[in-house]
Amino acid sequence: MAGEETTLHLRRTFAAPREKVFRALTDPEEMKKWWGPDGYETPSAEIDLRVGGSYRIAMKSSHGNTYYLSGTYRAIRPPEKLVYTWRWEAEPEQGETLVTVEFLDLGGSTEVVLTHDLFPSEKARDEHGKGWTGSLNRLANAV
């Protein structure tokens, strides 16, 4: 059963204003520069940034495999908060999870508070934790 044990919590501070960090997570061209953990590139990112709008991101591994991630925006409050669903297209058994990203203004820098929940298992949570950590490391270099 999903609960706190299957919820991922991450906090990260970036040396950039929150408008810039928010844009990095919502602008397709910006996302293609950093999205995905080490060893991945993002050949395409399609974003319809509105409540009810969808997104679809292609992640290509160093081995040449491409994985598609998609979902729907549930809440958008620039530059404060994003809430969206998350689904791996090739793994429907993983189900749909929910990502909440808060952007806290620290006066020239930004703290990102990320909550990713509704994972089907602790293993799935931990795998996504590694992916998010790698992605956030790359985001730090991009902003």
Side-chain angles (χ1 to χ4, degrees):
M1 178 170 173
E4 192 58 32
E5 67 277 1
T6 58
T7 298
L8 176 65
H9 298 282
L10 294 172
R11 295 177 92 89
R12 182 75 180 264
T13 301
F14 298 92
R18 69 181 181 165
E19 291 80 7
K20 185 172 186 176
V21 180
F22 186 89
R23 188 171 49 255
L25 271 85
T26 57
D27 179 276
E29 292 307 311
E30 293 297 318
M31 287 190 79
K32 289 193 288 188
K33 295 176 186 175
W34 66 270
W35 184 265
D38 286 336
Y40 283 81
E41 61 181 60
T42 304
S44 70
E46 302 165 22
I47 296 174
D48 180 8
L49 189 64
R50 61 182 175 84
V51 173
S54 62
Y55 69 91
R56 186 173 193 242
I57 302 168
M59 295 173 50
K60 186 175 182 181
S61 74
S62 57
H63 303 294
N65 299 326
T66 302
Y67 305 93
Y68 291 93
L69 167 67
S70 59
T72 304
Y73 290 101
R74 296 257 180 99
I76 302 166
R77 289 203 319 261
E80 300 170 11
K81 188 174 187 175
L82 281 175
V83 181
Y84 53 91
T85 62
W86 171 293
R87 180 177 57 85
W88 291 108
E89 293 181 4
E91 297 179 35
E93 70 279 3
Q94 289 279 334
E96 189 172 77
T97 57
L98 188 67
V99 178
T100 301
V101 187
E102 296 173 272
F103 303 82
L104 307 178
D105 186 354
L106 302 180
S109 62
T110 304
E111 182 177 18
V112 168
V113 179
L114 184 138
T115 304
H116 193 161
D117 58 5
L118 305 178
F119 287 111
S121 66
E122 290 180 41
K123 180 177 185 262
R125 178 205 61 202
D126 293 345
E127 288 171 356
H128 283 79
K130 291 175 191 170
W132 272 116
T133 298
S135 288
L136 295 176
N137 289 342
R138 292 180 65 194
L139 174 58
N141 292 328
V143 297

